[in-house]
């Protein structure tokens, strides 16, 4: 794989490759472009570790968003609670 003009190899478990491919697809990027972005942002950790941390962070962020959405009132619920009931004036 070519990252930032240099040939490199990355060793990841199949589950991390799958998650990385899904993240890249959702973002409209190639896996290579996404790995390049991770590589540019990583600190002193090796690339494989940086990718695992990135995937974990993305999964946690997605779950937090899902929980926030699930805890929002449904359509009409906020109106009913605030006004004491539908149709009351």
């Amino acid at each position: 794989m070519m990252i930032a003009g240099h040939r490199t190899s990355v060793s990841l478990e199949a589950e991390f490759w799958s998650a990385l491919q899904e993240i890249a697809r959702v973002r409209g990027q190639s896996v290579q472009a996404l790995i390049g972005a991770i590589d540019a942002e990583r600190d002193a950790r090796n690339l494989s570790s940086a990718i695992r941390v990135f995937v974990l962070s993305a999964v946690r962020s997605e779950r937090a968003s899902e929980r926030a959405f699930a805890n929002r009132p449904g359509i009409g619920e906020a109106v009913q609670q605030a006004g004491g009931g539908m149709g009351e004036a």
Side-chain angles (χ1 to χ4, degrees):
M1 165 178 313
M2 294 290 285
I3 304 295
H6 300 284
R7 186 143 181 85
T8 189
S9 63
V10 176
S11 179
L12 293 173
E13 296 77 11
E15 295 83 0
F16 281 101
W17 278 117
S18 294
L20 194 63
Q21 290 168 341
E22 177 66 14
I23 293 166
R25 186 190 64 74
V26 167
R27 292 180 174 207
Q29 291 180 291
S30 68
V31 171
Q32 185 172 347
L34 182 55
I35 291 174
I38 294 167
D39 183 47
E41 298 285 324
R42 70 183 166 122
D43 297 322
R45 67 176 48 113
N46 70 50
L47 183 55
S48 295
S49 293
I51 292 170
R52 287 184 188 96
V53 169
F54 172 84
V55 168
L56 177 62
S57 191
V59 168
R60 284 180 172 169
S61 177
E62 182 180 329
R63 286 192 178 157
S65 294
E66 288 173 357
R67 281 193 302 271
F69 184 77
N71 290 332
R72 289 182 26 209
I75 296 173
E77 286 181 33
V79 173
Q80 289 176 345
Q81 292 170 358
M86 297 282 294
E88 295 180 18

